Amino acid sequence: MTKTQNFALALLPFLLAGCYLDRLTKSYSDVFELKNESEESAILEETGHDVETMARNRKRLEELAFEEEPVYRMNAGDEIEIRVYDHQDLGMVTRIGPDGNVGIAFMGQVKLSGMTIAEGADTIRDGLAPYIKNPVVSITVRSVQSETATITGACAKPGVYGISNSTRLADLYAIAGASAERLFDGVDVDVADLEHSIIVRKGEVLPVDFIKAINNGDALHNIKVRRGDYVFIAQRMESSVTICGEVPHPHKRLYEPGMGLVETLTEAGWMLDTHWKHVIIIRDGLSHPRLYKVDIDGILAGKCKNVLLKSGDIVYVPKDDISEYNVFVKKLLPTAQLINMLTSRVTAFSH
């Protein structure tokens, strides 16, 4: 047995003790049934998250959707054109300096940063009035360098990017090259964990679901990016799915977005005749697991939709209906098959 497997064996008593088993004292019938169309409702029931929180988050997103566009204010780095009617010699194309100033004839250094275009034009007009009769001043913005947002983490090109009033979260993610990749057992895999990514605006973490925003194009979550926004793309720590239990070929394989339970079981040689009618999916790792049962017979009969898997899922095909929930876990976790799966190299399947 390898050092890694020895470590996994040593860890098992801790997983089976204390707060872990405290969570596993319900009856087996209490395991929630996972359906592709509504996992969210199952999680709400299981965790006790109140519906008011969900409603409050939705209301906040709706507020963001109807929020007025922020007024543009000139800032350092922006290129502007200043025109003075009937005085072409006073016109210029210039970039606002790092100190926020622009040099103007008769006036010297004039601070324009922080002003709207109208405010800036009025300031120059008032400054030229002692020298020119009834000056008429206009300012045109030629390029904006100060309207930026930051995106970091597990994207291909993290950095600070210029944005416009039409830039949305999915656009910024695309500009940053989408997910970074890493070599995982000889295969390039995406490392972005959209489920745990966040966007921060003025110290507030906005209630945005990145999967809905980027993968599903949900307009409510695909919010407009504002100046100063900070986007953090979380990194996926485990890009695999484990299949074990009553299957001919238990294994661990690379996770791919859109993976379905039926296809994954097919790759494992389907299920042995001894399998129970429900398949168990263990989600969120072994330290804080959420267990779900899936009506595999219902899927095959066309009564239920195929369930989509998530990275890190453990798919367990039980042999029978075990009445006690904690007995089920005690039976599953110490098995050499699961330990070997969790500590083995990942298998990449080609389709």
Side-chain angles (χ1 to χ4, degrees):
M1 184 172 289
T2 67
K3 290 182 179 179
T4 305
Q5 291 169 332
N6 283 330
F7 174 77
L9 280 172
L11 189 63
L12 281 174
F14 297 98
L15 293 175
L16 292 171
C19 63
Y20 184 79
L21 275 185
D22 286 344
R23 302 181 71 252
L24 307 177
T25 55
K26 298 180 282 188
S27 67
Y28 188 69
S29 61
D30 289 329
V31 177
F32 285 92
E33 185 168 348
L34 181 62
K35 297 181 180 180
N36 192 36
E37 66 270 24
S38 185
E39 180 196 358
E40 188 175 79
S41 60
I43 294 174
L44 282 174
E45 283 186 77
E46 180 190 8
T47 60
H49 288 173
D50 79 55
V51 178
E52 290 181 7
T53 300
M54 300 293 293
R56 186 165 57 249
N57 288 344
R58 183 174 183 85
K59 181 181 178 182
R60 181 68 182 113
L61 290 173
E62 289 172 347
E63 290 172 354
L64 292 171
F66 292 102
E67 210 170 54
E68 288 186 12
E69 295 288 342
V71 176
Y72 166 70
R73 294 184 179 275
M74 296 176 285
N75 215 324
D78 293 350
E79 186 179 55
I80 61 174
E81 181 177 3
I82 300 173
R83 292 181 181 180
V84 182
Y85 179 72
D86 236 8
H87 293 273
Q88 292 185 357
D89 55 322
L90 295 178
M92 70 175 85
V93 174
T94 185
R95 195 172 292 277
I96 300 175
D99 58 359
N101 293 334
V102 168
I104 300 176
F106 301 119
M107 298 178 64
Q109 294 296 308
V110 179
K111 192 173 185 66
L112 294 180
S113 65
M115 293 186 179
T116 65
I117 294 173
E119 290 169 348
D122 288 345
T123 297
I124 297 172
R125 181 199 64 202
D126 293 344
L128 292 177
Y131 311 99
I132 300 173
K133 186 178 180 179
N134 298 324
V136 178
V137 179
S138 67
I139 297 177
T140 303
V141 179
R142 300 185 61 148
S143 70
V144 177
Q145 301 296 321
S146 60
E147 297 289 310
T148 61
T150 302
I151 180 167
T152 65
C155 50
K157 298 180 291 184
V160 179
Y161 291 93
I163 59 171
S164 68
N165 60 2
S166 62
T167 304
R168 293 186 175 270
L169 180 59
D171 301 325
L172 182 61
Y173 184 64
I175 292 169
S179 175
E181 294 184 341
R182 70 169 175 231
L183 195 63
F184 197 89
D185 236 39
V187 178
D188 287 326
V189 296
D190 290 342
V191 299
D193 180 2
L194 296 181
E195 184 177 0
H196 297 101
S197 298
I198 60 171
I199 177 170
V200 181
R201 178 174 298 169
K202 296 179 180 178
E204 176 192 3
V205 178
L206 303 180
V208 171
D209 185 321
F210 277 60
I211 293 177
K212 290 181 179 178
I214 294 171
N215 290 351
N216 302 342
D218 186 321
L220 190 62
H221 289 267
N222 190 20
I223 63 174
K224 288 185 178 180
V225 180
R226 301 300 189 197
R227 176 180 173 181
D229 281 357
Y230 179 87
V231 177
F232 176 74
I233 304 298
Q235 179 171 321
R236 192 185 304 283
M237 300 306 295
E238 176 59 90
S239 296
S240 63
V241 169
T242 303
I243 305 97
C244 57
E246 297 299 298
V247 293
H249 307 295
H251 64 276
K252 184 165 70 171
R253 62 147 297 167
L254 284 174
Y255 169 77
E256 299 171 13
M259 280 180 62
L261 176 61
V262 171
E263 298 88 335
T264 302
L265 289 172
T266 301
E267 290 172 351
W270 199 237
M271 298 177 290
L272 301 177
D273 293 339
T274 51
H275 78 274
W276 188 49
K277 65 176 182 178
H278 284 90
V279 170
I280 302 300
I281 293 179
I282 305 175
R283 186 158 285 175
D284 285 352
L286 294 178
S287 57
H288 298 87
R290 295 205 314 265
L291 271 67
Y292 297 99
K293 61 185 178 184
V294 178
D295 183 1
I296 190 67
D297 288 350
I299 293 175
L300 296 177
K303 298 177 181 178
C304 311
K305 290 184 179 180
N306 188 16
V307 169
L308 295 180
L309 300 179
K310 292 187 175 183
S311 178
D313 278 355
I314 299 172
V315 177
Y316 176 65
V317 181
K319 187 173 184 178
D320 49 34
D321 179 7
I322 304 170
S323 59
E324 290 298 324
Y325 193 33
N326 59 334
V327 173
F328 160 71
V329 176
K330 285 181 179 179
K331 182 177 179 180
L332 168 62
L333 284 180
T335 62
Q337 186 188 90
L338 180 60
I339 295 169
N340 287 335
M341 290 304 96
L342 295 178
T343 58
S344 68
R345 293 170 64 85
V346 174
T347 303
F349 285 84
S350 58
H351 301 283

